[in-house]
Amino acid sequence: MSMYFIGIDISKYKHDCCIISAADQKVVSKVTIKNNKAGSDELLTIINSLSNPEDIRIGFESTAHYALNLELFLENSLLTFMEVNPVLISEYKKSKTLRRTKTDSVDCESIARWLMTVEYKPHSKGFYHAYSLKSLTRLRDKLIRQRSFYLVKITNVLDHTFPEFKPFFNERLSKTALYLLENYGSAEKMARMNSVSYEKLRSLSV
């Protein structure tokens, strides 16, 4: 089966796709898909009708995050893709025409034709898992920083309103300490705790 080059111009709500056959270097199809699951499914149907996955070369800009959903979809569909520097596409367009315009915009056909002239270097596999791990790591870091921020604020308030509290817990806001603050909040209320309250504290401290 023939090899096909697919250039995709990424945007926020839609992606313009151009498919070129390596056999005669002619445009086989130009289609616009929505930047959602239905649009990705439409592109996959077209690709599957053309050739085997190993005979498909896909390229798009490596600029905005709008390509993220498509990248994850392609990897899960066992298709490779190559991220393209838009500056290289712009220079390629200039080299192919004598006409000079104020804007050398990147388009899907230019990406596809440029892809035919370079060594295909697909994005590394495992992108989905790497992205998920990176997202989880960033979230964890954010939550830890938020926790530290609020612990400092709590400490500042306690230093003014209840300075004996943290030293009693060896300067730690343990589960028991946080329970006391959440349910009683002041020295006066803690002084009025009854036997039921103590039983709850003992269960937390076990």
Side-chain angles (χ1 to χ4, degrees):
M1 299 180 72
S2 178
M3 182 175 291
Y4 293 88
F5 294 86
I6 303 176
I8 304 177
D9 184 19
I10 301 292
S11 59
K12 184 175 183 178
Y13 299 110
K14 65 178 181 64
H15 305 323
D16 296 323
C17 309
C18 177
I19 303 173
I20 296 178
S21 171
D24 55 15
Q25 300 189 12
K26 291 184 178 180
V27 174
V28 174
S29 175
K30 277 191 176 182
V31 62
T32 297
I33 62 171
K34 292 182 179 180
N35 187 9
N36 57 24
K37 179 64 164 55
S40 297
D41 285 336
E42 180 183 351
L43 178 61
L44 182 61
T45 299
I46 296 172
I47 291 174
N48 288 337
S49 70
L50 293 172
S51 185
N52 295 321
E54 58 268 22
D55 294 323
I56 299 295
R57 302 286 185 266
I58 301 173
F60 46 79
E61 293 178 77
S62 58
T63 50
H65 59 277
Y66 300 132
L68 179 59
N69 289 336
L70 180 61
E71 291 173 349
L72 297 178
F73 181 86
L74 291 174
E75 178 159 303
N76 288 334
S77 301
L78 304 180
L79 289 164
T80 62
F81 59 88
M82 180 175 175
E83 292 187 334
V84 177
N85 187 331
V87 175
L88 297 178
I89 306 299
S90 178
E91 293 299 320
Y92 171 78
K93 288 185 67 176
K94 289 179 181 178
S95 70
K96 292 298 179 180
T97 178
L98 296 176
R99 181 173 58 89
R100 291 291 182 268
T101 59
K102 291 183 179 180
T103 58
D104 290 289
S105 60
V106 173
D107 59 75
C108 56
E109 183 173 345
S110 297
I111 295 174
R113 294 199 179 279
W114 177 85
L115 205 60
M116 299 173 69
T117 68
V118 298
E119 180 185 356
Y120 186 63
K121 296 180 179 179
H123 199 283
S124 59
K125 293 183 179 180
F127 169 80
Y128 176 82
H129 300 291
Y131 174 77
S132 298
L133 182 60
K134 185 182 294 184
S135 298
L136 289 172
T137 302
R138 287 174 177 170
L139 176 60
R140 180 181 183 276
D141 180 66
K142 179 181 179 180
L143 292 175
I144 288 175
R145 283 188 279 109
Q146 286 181 342
R147 181 185 66 180
S148 300
F149 172 78
Y150 287 113
L151 285 176
V152 169
K153 290 184 73 69
I154 291 173
T155 298
N156 290 339
V157 172
L158 287 173
D159 287 344
H160 287 88
T161 61
F162 199 170
E164 304 87 358
F165 187 83
K166 282 195 70 178
F168 182 81
F169 288 97
N170 296 320
E171 299 299 327
R172 292 178 60 251
L173 289 176
S174 63
K175 186 177 181 180
T176 302
L178 291 174
Y179 171 83
L180 286 169
L181 290 175
E182 182 179 358
N183 290 275
Y184 298 94
S186 67
E188 292 77 13
K189 289 183 179 180
M190 291 181 195
R192 295 195 296 270
M193 291 172 60
N194 54 34
S195 58
V196 176
S197 301
Y198 290 131
E199 284 299 323
K200 178 64 176 177
L201 278 179
R202 274 193 285 272
S203 68
L204 287 173
S205 302
V206 172

